[in-house]
Every structure is written in C-alpha cells, then in structure tokens.
Amino acid sequence: MNTSFPAIALGTWSWGSGAVGGDRVFGNHLTEDDLKPVVERAMDKGLNLWDTAPVYGQGTSETILGNLLAPYDRQSYFLSTKFTPGLAGSEDNAMELMLDASLKRLHADYVDVYWIHNPQDVEKWTPQLIGLVKSGKVRSVGVSNHNLAQIKRATEILAAGGVELSAIQNHFSLLYRSSEDAGIVNYCTRNGLDFYAYMVLEQGALTGKYGPDNPLPAGSDRAATYNKSLPKLAKLNAGLTKIGEAHGGASIAEVATAWALAKQTKPLIGVTKPAHVDSQARVAALQLSGEEVAQMEQLAAETGVDTKGGWERPMV
C-alpha cells in the first residue's frame, strides 16, 4: 500500500468533452478556466493524487489536467492514468504508444500509477506493463474492472517479470458492493493493495443535490442511468443526512465517502468545483461507527437499486 498517497484520489472523468467525456456522460461543459480553481484548491489542501484516462473525452481530460498541473513541480503531485485495450492499435508496443500519448498530454515523463482499464485480454496485455515499469515511465501498476481470478492471474504474470501489482480500481459504493461480495476488497486489505473505489457518489446520485424535483442534467448518460431511480434513493439520502447531522452537519457526499474509507478503500471522487475539494478535505475527520456503517448499508439494500455500469462484468 502506498502510504505517500493521500487517502482520497480526485477523478477527472467529467473534465473535457467528446466521446465518454464530461459533456456526454455528465452533462458538464467545463473549460480549463472553470477547472483551474479546482486544481489550485486541491493542491493547497494536499489532495494531489489525480486520476484520469485517455478514453475520457478522447484525451481531453488528460490535456486539461496536464495543462493545469504544468505550473507545479512534478514532485508535488501524483498522476494516475490508464491503458484501455479497446483503444489500442495492432502494434506490438501498443500499450507503450498509448502511454506515450498520455504522457505528452499530461506534460510528464512518468506516471505514478498506470492501470489496465478493463480485462479484455489479461494474458496479452498484462506482460506489457513490466517493460514500462522497468523503463521508468511507470512507477506502479494496477488493474481496473478485474475480478478476483483475473487479479490473481495478473499478479502472477507481473511477479514473473519482477513487478508487483500495487492497486485495484473498481466500481464500489453503497449501491454497488460487488467487489466486496466477491472478496476483492478483503483480498486487497490482506495483501497490502490499494483498492480505489470509483463512483462512490454514483455520479452525483448520492450527494443529495439531485432528486425527483431536481433530476440529473437532461440528455446526459448519467441522467438516463439514474433519474429513474432517484425516487428510490430518497430514504437512503435522508438517512445519510441524519448521520451527517450527528457529525457536525457533514454532507451526504461526505458521509458516503467516509463509508468508503471505513471499508478500507481509497475513494476516487470526481471534482468540478472548489467546494467539492473543500468537502472531501473534511472527510478525514469523519469517523463513522460500525453501527452507522451497518445502518447505511441496510438503507442502501432496501432501495433495490442496481448501478452496475454497462461496461462492467459481474464480479461474482
């Protein structure tokens, strides 16, 4: 487990535009000028682990992040980006070519964590991480959206080349605990792997900002996914509000993030406003009791809402 990283990672999926970008998925239309105060606030607060991917807006997320971090010393922040097999060409060094393009957009000569974004072909792609680590372009490696058997196989392949698997990144929230049910979270805890929990706030559905009278942005992918379920989340969000009130008025988003921390994971939270950064900076002080965690999970189960993404394969 990397103890030098902050407890919470910041995500940039909603930055940029284009295919799988912030405009289409989230209904956002954010510019570098809009996001500059977000980066400034995060760096000031010590939340300096940034997660992105070339598939987010077809490189526009990486470009914005790279431009906004360019004024800072490279040693003052951590970069996490990904290799997406579905975007790879047929070249023998397709992974390195994708990484080099990411590094150019990020204005960097190395990344701190490099992920295989999905398990399209574990046997083919995992070995290519080894050379990238040994080249110095990659400091540590992880796999995303992999099940436990695939994680164990990736570990074996990497170990044969003298490289350790450092981290797992899967969808994990109060509404989607498949990685816990499959034993992946426990496996990471026992083996010293960082488990990055993405979509902890379910693209805003678990923040209290949205409801039947204030739905997610029309025309966005997240609206199509979550708006129909917002009435079913009212009782859960009310319960999270009550727990937050018992912790000095913590917000629903802060309580949901604190739950992910209580599960011994590293929440990966998308941020688009300085206030989002301020909110996440407060989470470290929010210590939930075992009773509160159990209550939250019961309320979540009662919703009957399944938020498995269309790109995800069942973990169990």
Side-chain angles (χ1 to χ4, degrees):
M1 187 169 294
N2 195 319
T3 57
S4 64
F5 291 168
I8 295 171
L10 301 182
T12 62
W13 185 4
S14 59
W15 298 17
S17 60
V20 200
D23 54 344
R24 299 189 190 181
V25 177
F26 295 88
N28 294 333
H29 299 277
L30 301 168
T31 67
E32 281 189 27
D33 287 341
D34 294 325
L35 293 163
K36 183 178 179 181
V38 178
V39 170
E40 291 173 344
R41 187 69 56 84
M43 294 296 287
D44 182 60
K45 296 285 187 179
L47 291 175
N48 59 352
L49 172 53
W50 300 93
D51 182 82
T52 184
V55 72
Y56 301 160
Q58 297 186 320
T60 57
S61 171
E62 288 183 325
T63 297
I64 292 172
L65 180 62
N67 289 347
L68 292 177
L69 287 174
Y72 297 89
D73 187 292
R74 179 64 184 88
Q75 304 302 313
S76 68
Y77 59 87
F78 303 102
L79 288 174
S80 160
T81 194
K82 308 173 186 79
F83 167 76
T84 304
L87 298 180
S90 58
E91 303 89 351
D92 290 341
N93 64 335
M95 182 180 288
E96 185 172 24
L97 291 173
M98 193 177 297
L99 172 62
D100 286 345
S102 291
L103 290 172
K104 183 176 181 179
R105 289 188 289 267
L106 291 165
H107 306 300
D109 55 10
Y110 70 92
V111 293
D112 297 277
V113 193
Y114 197 54
W115 310 82
I116 295 182
H117 211 166
N118 59 61
Q120 186 168 311
D121 191 333
V122 174
E123 301 296 327
K124 176 180 180 179
W125 296 116
T126 308
Q128 294 195 27
L129 290 170
I130 296 167
L132 299 181
V133 172
K134 293 184 176 180
S135 74
K137 293 180 181 180
V138 170
R139 295 288 174 87
S140 64
V141 297
V143 294
S144 181
N145 301 311
H146 286 50
N147 64 29
L148 187 54
Q150 292 161 339
I151 290 167
K152 291 179 177 179
R153 180 59 186 139
T155 299
E156 293 172 348
I157 293 170
L158 292 169
V163 172
E164 292 185 359
L165 183 69
S166 298
I168 309 302
Q169 184 178 147
N170 286 352
H171 179 187
F172 186 64
S173 75
L174 278 163
L175 297 174
Y176 191 71
R177 295 165 56 196
S178 183
S179 285
E180 184 176 30
D181 297 337
I184 296 171
V185 175
N186 183 54
Y187 176 85
C188 290
T189 301
R190 288 188 288 106
N191 290 280
L193 302 177
D194 284 324
F195 182 97
Y196 286 62
Y198 75 78
M199 281 174 53
V200 169
L201 304 182
E202 292 293 351
Q203 299 187 350
L206 289 181
T207 63
K209 178 179 179 180
Y210 302 102
D213 297 328
N214 183 36
L216 291 144
S220 66
D221 290 352
R222 63 173 174 161
T225 299
Y226 293 98
N227 279 350
K228 61 183 179 293
S229 298
L230 290 177
K232 300 177 182 179
L233 301 181
K235 185 178 178 181
L236 170 60
N237 280 332
L240 299 184
T241 297
K242 187 173 181 180
I243 290 172
E245 289 171 351
H247 289 272
S251 69
I252 291 174
E254 289 162 16
V255 173
T257 304
W259 171 85
L261 286 172
K263 305 299 283 191
Q264 297 185 284
T265 73
K266 182 185 293 295
L268 172 53
I269 306 297
V271 288
T272 57
K273 299 176 182 177
H276 296 163
V277 176
D278 294 338
S279 177
Q280 292 303 315
R282 292 191 291 267
V283 172
L286 206 172
Q287 301 292 319
L288 298 173
S289 68
E291 182 179 354
E292 288 170 328
V293 168
Q295 179 187 354
M296 293 164 66
E297 292 176 354
Q298 179 61 34
L299 288 170
E302 290 173 0
T303 68
V305 173
D306 180 4
T307 59
K308 183 174 78 69
W311 64 90
E312 296 182 81
R313 301 173 188 177
M315 291 293 150
V316 291

